Amino acid sequence: MKEHERPDFDSRAAQWDNLPRRVALGNAIVEAIKQETDPQVWMKMLDYGCGTGLVTFGLQPLVKEVIAVDSSRGMLDQLELKAREAGITNLATVFIDLDNEWHLPDGIDLLVSSMTMHHVPEVAPLLAHFRECMNTGGLLCIADLETEDGSFHDDAAACIPHRGFAVTEMEQFFRVAGFKNVRTVRVMSVQKERDGKLHEYPVNLTVGSV
Ligand SMILES: C[S@@+](CC[C@H](N)C(=O)[O-])C[C@H]1O[C@@H](n2cnc3c(N)ncnc32)[C@H](O)[C@@H]1O
């Protein structure tokens, strides 16, 4: 996808945390990851598509080191501001330029990603790269929408590569990339009003190990 076709996260970054629904989803994803993986103080964690850190900061106190990765400089600016204000010292950010070649840092014990995978055009090669960057015994946690009808995003014109993922589809991505012990739990359902009715958008967490 070219730059002009991608959703503009930079311009939304400063207001991103103002929506209680987003904060609630981030908190629910943090709780599900804690329950499924039991993060440890020796772990090096990477949050891929970290945004403003709604999930990152829920896990950061539990691990040794955090690398927060995003393709939006605006989102990373917000995350860095929050880290500075909170005096957090075990966190580094990495900006990735999707129009050029990039690699993630290696030696990762816990790799998490929340509500980002549906924005990634090619999921299979990304999960293969995740695995290359992870230590033996490392855990991958991906939280994302269950298959939806395309109405989740408020901006109908936004170019979103995936309308969520069926559980079997996401688990297959994990297995093909070489992850073991793959399992999925339901995190919660996001409710949004569509055509005067409440529409439910379930969010799942899939976990696998290296
Ligand atoms: C819906 S937001 C989720 C942010 C955060 N993980 C959360 O749960 O609040 C998606 C994030 O992924 C980033 N993003 C979109 N496409 C990406 C890609 N291909 N690689 C890395 N990050 C991406 C966006 O900049 C944005 O910060």
Side-chain angles (χ1 to χ4, degrees):
M1 259 195 294
K2 299 257 181 311
E3 180 66 47
H4 64 275
E5 294 170 338
R6 294 184 196 123
D8 177 12
F9 285 102
D10 282 345
S11 67
R12 299 156 73 197
Q15 280 79 45
W16 190 260
D17 292 2
N18 293 346
L19 211 54
R21 159 171 71 62
R22 275 199 194 120
V23 177
L25 177 59
N27 290 339
I29 291 169
V30 167
E31 286 313 310
I33 292 173
K34 280 160 68 173
Q35 198 133 27
E36 292 301 313
T37 68
D38 193 17
Q40 300 290 312
V41 287
W42 48 266
M43 286 181 164
K44 181 170 168 180
M45 180 185 113
L46 187 147
D47 185 355
Y48 185 84
C50 57
T52 61
L54 291 179
V55 168
T56 326
F57 290 117
L59 298 170
Q60 163 271 325
L62 307 176
V63 298
K64 183 177 176 200
E65 186 184 345
V66 174
I67 303 165
V69 178
D70 206 282
S71 58
S72 158
R73 190 62 255 175
M75 291 296 233
L76 289 176
D77 286 347
Q78 292 300 315
L79 183 145
E80 285 168 2
L81 183 67
K82 286 157 73 175
R84 262 197 313 278
E85 284 175 355
I88 289 168
T89 53
N90 67 339
L91 184 149
T93 56
V94 172
F95 168 74
I96 51 172
D97 174 1
L98 297 174
D99 292 320
N100 286 297
E101 199 176 318
W102 52 271
H103 298 281
L104 296 173
D106 59 12
I108 306 300
D109 302 298
L110 177 62
L111 201 157
V112 306
S113 184
S114 154
M115 299 299 282
T116 296
M117 218 44 61
H118 61 266
H119 292 290
V120 173
E122 298 284 343
V123 175
L126 180 61
L127 263 62
H129 184 46
F130 283 171
R131 193 178 180 284
E132 286 168 358
C133 300
M134 292 173 68
N135 289 332
T136 304
L139 294 157
L140 173 64
C141 302
I142 295 184
D144 214 316
L145 293 163
E146 169 80 59
T147 313
E148 49 106 6
D149 60 5
S151 63
F152 177 79
H153 292 89
D154 298 343
D155 176 7
C159 188
I160 314 288
H162 304 277
R163 294 179 167 192
F165 301 91
V167 171
T168 49
E169 184 186 14
M170 182 57 83
E171 290 190 345
Q172 186 66 0
F173 280 130
F174 272 61
R175 292 195 180 97
V176 168
F179 290 93
K180 299 176 291 188
N181 307 318
V182 179
R183 60 203 184 269
T184 300
V185 293
R186 172 67 44 82
V187 176
M188 64 176 279
S189 278
V190 175
Q191 292 189 332
K192 289 189 177 187
E193 200 182 310
R194 294 288 180 257
D195 301 325
K197 286 186 257 168
L198 269 189
H199 196 115
E200 302 259 350
Y201 299 94
V203 173
N204 297 320
L205 175 72
T206 303
V207 181
S209 57
V210 177

